[in-house]
Amino acid sequence: MRTSIVLSRCCMLGCLLTMPGLRAQPAVPAEPFHDGLRGTTPLDEEAKPPLIFPTENKDVIRGRAYAQQPPTIPHKIDGYQVDKNANRCLSCHARSRAAENDAVPIGVTHYANRAGETLGYVSPRRYFCTQCHVPQADAKPLVSNTFTDIEDIRVAPGPKPPATRKN
Ligand code: HEC
Ligand code: HEC
């Protein structure tokens, strides 16, 4: 009984959909579908997941894109424990440990609390390092970027800007 009702409803729906004028005309995109993440896989199909790119592990400090940017991590951090019991990052980056590990000591800002007072220990708000510092994948960017630093823009004619150190 129930199946026949369902079947007849399906039939009605089928008739409605095939009636001219009632079927919504799908807009045909002029360009073939392409998405940075999905590639050309249509939306109703599952894309093949790309391989996970290896972490860039060259140990070379990268430039920063702007003055207050948290520097990106130039080494692997796989398996480094950072929780309420231990902070592996600080075993090399704490000011007292940095020299012996040839690491960059954490900046003074990491000792300041939100009231601007400098503490004798890493401020709790700077404890979970990977909130701000991230390693980089050795991957091609998904979207291109044509950003040019103000220092690299030369407006001619006019006085040449003074030479500055590039960071
Ligand atoms: C075994 C020691 C060690 C540990 C543990 C370690 N680092 Fe490093 N880190 C270094 C060294 C040495 C450098 C200098 C560049 C290099 O050799 O990779 C560095 C560089 C960095 C830099 C770049 C600094 C700059 O000025 O550009 C950041 C950011 C950083 N580490 C964050 C972290 C974070 C976050 C963790 C924990 C998840 C961590 N590191 C764990 C040794 C360590
Ligand atoms: C809330 C964001 C934030 C957190 C959390 C944080 N940092 Fe930073 N870090 C920054 C910013 C922003 C800078 C760059 C400006 C500065 O020195 O404050 C920086 C700079 C650094 C530098 C480079 C210092 C220098 O003098 O060049 C190191 C190394 C570093 N952080 C390590 C760490 C480690 C290790 C932790 C975890 C214990 C950590 N940071 C937690 C934001 C953060």
Side-chain angles (χ1 to χ4, degrees):
M1 173 68 186
R2 187 171 278 179
T3 8
S4 68
I5 291 178
V6 172
L7 273 179
S8 67
R9 290 223 173 123
C10 284
C11 240
M12 276 164 64
L13 192 69
C15 293
L16 279 175
L17 284 178
T18 42
M19 272 166 77
L22 273 179
R23 194 193 295 187
Q25 289 298 312
V28 181
E31 299 277 318
F33 174 77
H34 185 267
D35 175 80
L37 277 172
R38 304 181 59 84
T40 50
T41 312
L43 284 174
D44 56 353
E45 283 172 31
E46 191 125 342
K48 195 170 166 260
L51 293 176
I52 295 175
F53 283 94
T55 304
E56 206 183 89
N57 194 28
K58 294 190 183 142
D59 289 333
V60 178
I61 286 177
R62 303 188 191 91
R64 298 191 203 176
Y66 56 96
Q68 286 86 25
Q69 186 209 315
T72 53
I73 308 176
H75 55 73
K76 277 189 174 174
I77 58 162
D78 298 358
Y80 284 178
Q81 185 180 357
V82 181
D83 57 25
K84 72 178 171 62
N85 300 319
N87 185 318
R88 181 81 174 89
C89 314
L90 287 176
S91 69
C92 292
H93 286 282
R95 300 193 81 80
S96 54
R97 309 291 289 277
E100 66 189 83
N101 290 296
D102 214 9
V104 189
I106 53 176
V108 284
T109 51
H110 294 49
Y111 292 86
N113 66 12
R114 67 177 182 179
E117 297 154 354
T118 304
L119 313 171
Y121 46 87
V122 175
S123 175
R125 63 187 188 146
R126 295 287 177 127
Y127 183 82
F128 293 105
C129 319
T130 47
Q131 250 176 278
C132 305
H133 299 282
V134 284
Q136 299 291 291
D138 197 359
K140 244 177 76 185
L142 288 175
V143 287
S144 58
N145 184 350
T146 55
F147 175 79
T148 310
D149 200 314
I150 188 78
E151 292 174 19
D152 297 331
I153 299 175
R154 297 280 182 270
V155 190
K160 250 183 121 183
T164 47
R165 192 173 71 90
K166 271 204 89 178
N167 197 11

